[in-house]
Structures are given as C-alpha cells and as structure tokens.
Amino acid sequence: MEELTSLDALEIEKGKNAYKFEFPLRYDISPTFNVKDLRPYLEEDGEMILVYDYIGTLREHLYKTNKPPFSWKQRLEICIGAARGLHYLHTGASFGYLDPEYFRRQQLTENSDVYSFGVVLFEVLCARPALNANLPKEQVSLADWALHCQRKGTLYEIIDPHLKGKINPECLQKFAETAEKCVSDHGIDRPSMGDVLWNLEFSLQLEENPGWAVVAENKANDAYATHTTMIAIDEEIANQEVDDENPTVVFSQNKMGTDH
C-alpha cells in the first residue's frame, strides 16, 4: 500500500467542464473521503485542483497504531474505492505483494495487480502486513497463510479481533472467496479487476442487506453500472480533447485510409 500525500491534487485541463466531470469521477473512485472537507481551489492561470483533508494511510488504521480501527463497512468501502481505481487505471506492484509468476517470467501483468490486490484484501481482513518475518515460517506470508486457513475452513480464526462477530457471514464468505481467487498461483485462474470490483460491491450489499441476496445483487449491479458509465464518459471526453487538439492527425489518418 503506497502512502497517501498530504495534498492530493488533480490538475484539470482546460476549463470548468472537465473540472465538473472530474469531481464525480474522483468521488466514484474514492468514496471514503469526506465531501464536506473538499475544498475546490482556482489558481490565477485558470487551472483547477481538488484539495481535501489528509486522513492517514489505511495501514495506520489496521495495525501498529494508536488510531481507532476502521469498521468493517469502512474497510469494504476502501477496498471498493481501490478496486475502482485499479479498474480505471492499471497500476504496478511492490515487493511483498509480488505475484509468484513474476519470478518465473520476470513480467508484470494486469493479473499481477489482481494478485497484489488480493493480498491487500487479506491484509484488510486480518489486520497484519503482507510479510512478517517474526511469525512462524508457515505464517510469514499472509497470502499463503490466509489461503491455508481459508481452505481448512479456519480463516475466521485469523481475522482482525475487532471484526469478529461484526461481519455478516454471507458477506465474509463472498469477500474471502474473492480474495482467495485473486491470489491464485497462476494468473489465468484469477478474476479480472472488473469481476473483483463487482464481487466487492456484492459483499458490501450483502453486509447492508442480510438475508436479501437478490436485493444485494441488484444493488451491486447498479453500483457497477454507474462506475463503468463514468469510465465511458471519461474516455469520451479524453477522446474529444485529443480530436480537438489534433484535427490534422485525424484528417491525415482518414486520408491514409482512403489511399489503400
């Protein structure tokens, strides 16, 4: 997990239309920041940024800290926000979260990110780091140990004590299954980031609608559809900006197409 900066700023190019779009997209990707603390700021040259209060890192609310632990719902929302961000932009991985396939092929892929994200899901559930050399050998790697416990049916024994008795069993089962699939040893067996996101949305809805799986599924579908719509709008705006800035390139490509 990378550290957050104290000032998270998004530079919005060319005017208020892009800025008005960027706010709902930013909130869609990161639903856990407090909108009341959002402070729009306009510089003299007309460029706009989003500024909101620094609340610390996720790790600071999980372990080795005096800060209050996040509730299960807060953790789910954070995971969903991160999944939306990964689904929106492909990102890299850091040591401790690295996919075992990387060591065999020396290549990182989107599946590698899914593996890394699965480790984070277990980290959020168990409130311990990805690697801990002070633990017995079989427990050093969180991914390996969590998989072992999941397959034995003893995962509940290693989750964060603050969460015990506070998670709907259906939600916990779906969340754990999702994390388990993410850290499959072979990339081909892992879900896409879109599938991971939908399953996390479903987990949240199972938590909020216990005993109503159909309702939870419908709400998960709605949330996922909203997210994908925002991505489509973003791509349309980006493509339009490129077309507006490079009309000669488009003309040149069209002309080349008619020559063949």
Side-chain angles (χ1 to χ4, degrees), residues 109-133:
T109 65
E110 290 185 8
N111 281 333
S112 301
D113 275 349
V114 172
Y115 179 91
S116 303
F117 190 68
V119 178
V120 173
L121 294 182
F122 278 128
E123 191 170 355
V124 166
L125 180 63
C126 301
R128 56 149 288 188
L131 298 173
N132 188 340

Side-chain angles (χ1 to χ4, degrees), residues 56-84:
T57 66
L58 175 59
R59 182 183 296 112
E60 289 171 352
H61 291 269
L62 291 179
Y63 50 84
K64 293 184 179 179
T65 179
N66 293 323
K67 293 185 178 182
F70 283 135
S71 68
W72 177 238
K73 182 179 177 182
Q74 286 176 309
R75 299 185 201 197
L76 270 176
E77 290 174 339
I78 290 169
C79 290
I80 289 171
R84 288 173 180 169

Side-chain angles (χ1 to χ4, degrees), residues 3 7 31 75-76 85 103 123 127 140 145 153 155 157 169 184 192 219 234 250 256:
E3 303 291 324
L7 178 65
R75 299 185 201 197
L76 270 176
F103 295 101
E123 191 170 355
V140 168
W145 181 236
L155 183 67
E157 297 177 9
S184 295
S192 68
K219 289 188 175 183
D234 183 33
V250 176
M256 289 175 64

Side-chain angles (χ1 to χ4, degrees), residues 31-71:
T32 54
F33 74 82
N34 190 338
V35 179
K36 293 186 297 183
D37 294 333
L38 184 67
R39 300 181 178 86
Y41 179 73
L42 176 63
E43 297 218 356
E44 290 183 1
D45 60 5
E47 293 188 358
M48 307 177 87
I49 60 174
L50 298 177
V51 181
Y52 51 90
D53 289 342
Y54 171 68
I55 61 171
T57 66
L58 175 59
R59 182 183 296 112
E60 289 171 352
H61 291 269
L62 291 179
Y63 50 84
K64 293 184 179 179
T65 179
N66 293 323
K67 293 185 178 182
F70 283 135
S71 68

Side-chain angles (χ1 to χ4, degrees), residues 202-222:
F202 188 36
S203 298
L204 176 60
Q205 294 305 323
L206 286 171
E207 182 67 20
E208 295 185 334
N209 302 276
W212 295 88
V214 174
V215 173
E217 183 175 354
N218 289 336
K219 289 188 175 183
N221 286 335
D222 291 344

Side-chain angles (χ1 to χ4, degrees), residues 152-168:
K152 284 187 62 179
T154 59
L155 183 67
Y156 188 80
E157 297 177 9
I158 68 168
I159 71 172
D160 185 354
H162 292 101
L163 299 179
K164 290 187 175 181
K166 299 178 181 178
I167 306 177
N168 180 287

